[in-house]
Amino acid sequence: MTTMTQEWTTAVRGDGGRASEIRRHELAAFLRHRREHVTPERVGLPRGPRRRTPGLRREEVAQLAAVGVTWYTWLEQARDIHVSVQVLDALARTLMLDPSERLHLFQLAGAVDPAPTSDCPSVTPALRAVLEQLEPFPACLQNSRYDILAYNRTYGLLLCDLDAVPPEDRNCMVLAYTHEEWRSSIVHLEETARVMAAKFRASMAGHLADPAWKALLKRLRAESPDFCAAWDRHEVLAPGTKRKEFRNAHVGRLTVDHTDLWLSPDTGPRLVTYAPADEETREGLEKLRAIAMERGTAR
């Protein structure tokens, strides 16, 4: 373990002030590193014959981000100053940070990124191939906000005809509380709705300032009295595996074991799978897949 890692671990476990100091130094080093790797030409500035700085100068970053030169210098010196999310957003754009670097910037600053994000990697051909290979097990890709980003054929007919649902409505929370066909397919609807509200509350704790999360919460409260009742219980529940029972419109009752396979170190993007809990369900899923194949259902 490196000295810096040891210091960070000790600080996180104990002295919060020490952790803050280490984070400021990490932020300062990160900003310097990114500044030195952005050439003037990339941001529309002339290089000039006498430039010695490998990348941008501090005053150039400050000008492009619309902040004071002295203030930005203090930031790179790891001084204990307040950094607003607006300034962090401006710095991220000025330094041309990619999504991972932007996330790192906000984490080092101890701030919540206000920009809406799906919190999920791109749905790559490889991930789509995995979904297909899991057939006839229903499977989908979800982000931390329960948006359904991709799914295989069997999942597409598991609770409703998902292809017929507008893309903006393909969210498990929205479907579970507002889509009648989806709701009628859940055997233990009342319990499921309560559990989902509790999981959503637990997940949202890390996204309280995210406009996309707030918009989803506002929509659910406006469109579903059942959600309001469950939400107002203030229950929280961590993600976990669970046996579920569905009443499928094509093949009848299905009993499956739900599993989340996380695609990142945190409980964000995930591959959601449903394995048959008995032979009857296995046969039912095979039939459902055959029906879906005839229809060409897969997204």
Side-chain angles (χ1 to χ4, degrees):
M1 183 181 291
T2 65
T3 302
M4 177 58 74
T5 303
Q6 289 173 331
E7 290 180 356
W8 176 263
T9 302
T10 301
V12 169
R13 290 176 179 171
D15 185 357
R18 180 60 174 153
S20 178
E21 180 183 351
I22 293 175
R23 189 163 53 235
R24 290 199 307 274
H25 281 277
E26 288 288 320
L27 174 61
F30 179 66
L31 289 172
R32 286 194 300 272
H33 179 271
R34 294 308 307 142
R35 172 172 61 81
E36 292 170 357
H37 285 76
V38 178
T39 62
E41 293 85 354
R42 291 181 66 191
V43 295
L45 295 175
R47 172 170 291 276
R50 303 178 64 181
R51 178 180 291 269
R52 296 180 180 178
T53 306
L56 296 177
R57 300 187 180 98
R58 284 176 175 172
E59 56 267 27
E60 291 171 334
V61 173
Q63 179 183 0
L64 291 168
V67 297
V69 177
T70 300
W71 185 91
Y72 180 75
T73 300
W74 287 349
L75 193 59
E76 282 202 7
Q77 291 175 345
R79 297 204 188 186
D80 188 5
I81 57 176
H82 173 71
V83 189
S84 70
V85 294
Q86 290 81 9
V87 168
L88 291 171
D89 177 67
L91 290 174
R93 286 185 281 105
T94 297
L95 298 174
M96 298 182 172
L97 304 186
D98 64 26
S100 296
E101 292 168 336
R102 179 185 174 99
L103 174 62
H104 187 61
L105 173 69
F106 276 82
Q107 288 178 332
L108 289 177
V112 177
D113 189 347
T117 177
S118 65
D119 297 319
C120 188
S122 299
V123 181
T124 64
L127 286 173
R128 290 190 183 277
V130 170
L131 288 174
E132 292 176 6
Q133 289 300 311
L134 286 172
E135 299 273 16
F137 291 6
C140 71
L141 292 172
Q142 293 181 23
N143 61 17
S144 60
R145 204 172 52 248
Y146 299 93
D147 293 323
I148 302 171
L149 305 177
Y151 50 92
N152 62 16
R153 293 177 176 86
T154 313
Y155 186 91
L157 289 181
L158 183 63
L159 290 114
C160 73
D161 182 358
L162 200 51
D163 281 357
V165 176
E168 63 271 18
D169 292 339
R170 291 176 193 163
N171 174 282
C172 289
M173 295 298 299
V174 171
L175 292 167
Y177 282 100
T178 68
H179 192 283
E180 287 307 314
E181 184 181 356
W182 185 283
R183 287 167 60 83
S184 66
S185 297
I186 301 173
V187 174
H188 305 290
L189 179 60
E190 183 177 351
E191 177 191 354
T192 298
R194 182 174 171 182
V195 166
M196 290 188 68
K199 287 184 176 181
F200 183 68
R201 181 179 285 278
S203 298
M204 191 171 180
H207 305 273
L208 294 176
D210 190 321
W213 282 76
K214 291 192 291 186
L216 176 56
L217 176 60
K218 183 179 180 180
R219 176 181 180 180
L220 291 167
R221 291 189 68 90
E223 297 182 10
S224 174
D226 289 344
F227 175 79
C228 291
W231 183 257
D232 290 342
R233 297 176 69 96
H234 290 271
E235 294 176 333
V236 293
L237 187 65
T241 60
K242 184 176 177 61
R243 178 157 293 184
K244 298 186 176 183
E245 294 182 75
F246 300 131
R247 192 181 298 105
N248 185 265
H250 303 280
V251 299
R253 198 177 183 105
L254 299 170
T255 304
V256 295
D257 290 321
H258 161 266
T259 303
D260 287 324
L261 303 175
W262 307 105
L263 303 180
S264 69
D266 57 13
T267 54
R270 58 194 177 275
L271 174 65
V272 179
T273 64
Y274 294 97
D278 52 48
E279 189 59 33
E280 183 180 356
T281 296
R282 184 179 296 275
E283 293 174 0
L285 291 178
E286 289 281 5
K287 294 177 182 177
L288 188 60
R289 180 199 183 193
I291 295 171
M293 290 284 287
E294 293 178 0
R295 292 180 153 199
T297 303
R299 290 294 178 92

